[in-house]
Amino acid sequence: MAVTSGPAHAGPPPAVRCGDTVTSDLSLSADLHCNGPGLAVKAGDVVLDLNGHSITGSGTGTGISVIEQPRIHVRNGRISNFDRGVLFVGSIDSELVDLSLTDNTGHNVQTAEKSTNFKITDCKVRRGGVEIDTTSGLTVTNSEFSQAGIQFNLTSRSPHISGSTFVDSPIGYWTNTNNGSLTGNTLIRSGVSLREADNLTVSGNTFKQGHVRVLNGSSNTTITGNRFSDGDRAVFVQQALSSANLRIVRNRFTGNQVGVDASDVFVGVENGITISGNTFTDNAVAGILLDSPTAHSPYWVRIERNVLKANGRRSGGRVDSAGRPINDGIHVNVPANSPVEITGNITRGNADYGIEAVPGSVTDGGGNVSHGDPSGCLGVVCT
């Protein structure tokens, strides 16, 4: 019997009701409207097919709960208006497929207590967050999120998100959320933030009015092959205490306020930033901004082989911490003999300087080129 709702009796199984326990494969034949919990799956290897139907709550309870059961597959329907839409605790190899999860006031989806290999595929998640706690091997594929961010907490390992769309839906990697990837997604007015999260690769995404923010304790972050447009600070380092090895390579930054803002690099003690092979075009204030009045050697920054065109033309009078206007391709304000190397960059038609650095503050690695920048370069030699 797939559904248990009371004492056993002869004859056909009863119709599914809110609050029932599911112990074998089940396909719904009608919508469910619940004043409390929806369904609880209490056996492994179960397919729960909503069959195009809805399970709707009244703002309390959980739509579908799975506690320490493996290989549970929930698919093809809508879950809405509960406190939690779907809860998986200690489950392995389970998945949500082709579901609409909407307006669940606590969380649309929540996992906890060492769930493993959890998948969200072809789902639409709206107006309610996704919280992933102590979960290894989350995979999100071909899904849509609107006002429904994802928060990774408490040692959630190896989360992989690909081919999905995020609108007004931030993604947060917190507290040992390590070895993740964010690949081939579209993020609109949606940011990615890292705190105490290592080995994250952000690659091949399109950010529109979005950003990547690196906070403290996040090491070995690679941001590569993305397109950032129309944002504020597209990539920025903010109080990155004890972070290390941030690589920003081969991205395109167009029409942002600032493409890469690493102004907290020395104040926050980020040990090692490489900004290499990127293209910065028409960013209003600057392509690359490094404004750190305090240095903590031997932490280093390398700015190399970037192309910077037509940046700084709408800077709005912005100035750095020393009062100098910021309206350049690369603008660097750091103390003397800081561990910043500027090498092999090409600048063209920026509003003021192609490269502006306080003389004596950076290492000139050579090979920098300026074309049509009114003030040429300062602090490094440009041909």
Side-chain angles (χ1 to χ4, degrees):
M1 187 179 300
V3 177
T4 302
S5 57
H9 61 277
V16 179
R17 296 182 298 183
C18 298
D20 283 350
T21 295
V22 178
T23 58
S24 62
D25 292 355
L26 174 67
S27 179
L28 293 188
S29 58
D31 295 344
L32 293 178
H33 301 277
C34 305
N35 290 321
L39 301 175
V41 180
K42 294 190 175 180
D45 297 289
V46 166
V47 175
L48 178 52
D49 188 350
L50 304 191
N51 197 27
H53 293 291
S54 297
I55 303 178
T56 306
S58 59
T60 63
T62 300
I64 295 175
S65 61
V66 179
I67 311 298
E68 296 183 347
Q69 301 299 334
R71 296 176 296 279
I72 307 302
H73 307 273
V74 185
R75 67 191 188 196
N76 187 22
R78 177 185 174 95
I79 303 168
S80 62
N81 295 106
F82 289 91
D83 175 33
R84 288 179 297 198
V86 177
L87 172 65
F88 280 75
V89 177
S91 181
I92 64 172
D93 298 331
S94 294
E95 64 177 351
L96 308 177
V97 181
D98 192 22
L99 291 174
S100 174
L101 297 132
T102 305
D103 294 317
N104 296 288
T105 55
H107 301 289
N108 276 316
V109 180
Q110 185 176 12
T111 69
E113 296 185 15
K114 298 183 180 178
S115 293
T116 305
N117 296 336
F118 184 73
K119 296 180 181 180
I120 300 173
T121 305
D122 296 325
C123 290
K124 294 179 172 61
V125 186
R126 297 187 176 94
R127 295 183 299 278
V130 175
E131 182 168 294
I132 308 297
D133 294 336
T134 58
T135 296
S136 296
L138 172 79
T139 302
V140 178
T141 309
N142 297 331
S143 294
E144 300 176 12
F145 297 80
S146 179
Q147 300 178 49
I150 300 179
Q151 186 76 44
F152 296 101
N153 297 319
L154 303 172
T155 318
S156 293
R157 307 261 182 193
S158 303
H160 302 290
I161 303 174
S162 64
S164 296
T165 301
F166 294 81
V167 179
D168 300 310
S169 299
I171 304 173
Y173 295 84
W174 298 155
T175 315
N176 296 322
T177 300
N178 298 335
N179 305 314
S181 66
L182 183 72
T183 305
N185 305 281
T186 298
L187 297 96
I188 300 171
R189 298 184 302 276
S190 301
V192 176
S193 298
L194 295 83
R195 186 194 302 273
E196 299 177 4
D198 295 342
N199 304 317
L200 175 66
T201 299
V202 180
S203 64
N205 304 283
T206 298
F207 290 82
K208 298 178 180 179
Q209 297 181 302
H211 63 261
V212 178
R213 179 175 61 169
V214 180
L215 297 162
N216 58 300
S218 298
S219 297
N220 302 321
T221 302
T222 299
I223 303 168
T224 183
N226 305 282
R227 296 188 177 191
F228 295 87
S229 65
D230 304 317
D232 183 16
R233 295 178 288 179
V235 174
F236 65 104
V237 180
Q238 185 176 27
Q239 298 177 351
L241 181 65
S242 300
S243 293
N245 192 26
L246 169 61
R247 300 179 69 250
I248 305 165
V249 296
R250 296 188 298 278
N251 303 280
R252 292 181 177 271
F253 299 87
T254 305
N256 305 283
Q257 291 294 303
V258 178
V260 174
D261 187 345
S263 292
D264 279 343
V265 57
F266 298 129
V267 176
V269 195
E270 162 84 34
N271 184 2
I273 298 178
T274 300
I275 305 170
S276 177
N278 304 282
T279 299
F280 299 85
T281 305
D282 193 33
N283 297 285
V285 177
I288 301 171
L289 173 62
L290 176 54
D291 182 16
S292 292
T294 304
H296 294 271
S297 183
Y299 307 107
W300 52 265
V301 182
R302 293 193 180 103
I303 302 173
E304 58 188 18
R305 297 191 301 277
N306 301 284
V307 176
L308 303 105
K309 301 181 289 187
N311 300 286
R313 295 181 174 183
R314 302 180 307 283
S315 65
R318 184 166 169 178
V319 298
D320 65 21
S321 58
R324 299 181 181 89
I326 307 172
N327 53 358
D328 313 299
I330 300 172
H331 186 99
V332 178
N333 174 43
V334 294
N337 301 312
S338 292
V340 177
E341 180 180 308
I342 301 177
T343 303
N345 300 282
I346 298 173
T347 69
R348 183 178 295 113
N350 298 283
D352 190 11
Y353 289 95
I355 302 171
E356 180 179 0
V358 176
S361 66
V362 304
T363 297
D364 183 353
N368 297 293
V369 177
S370 170
H371 295 294
D373 303 302
S375 298
C377 294
L378 179 69
V380 299
V381 174
C382 292
T383 58

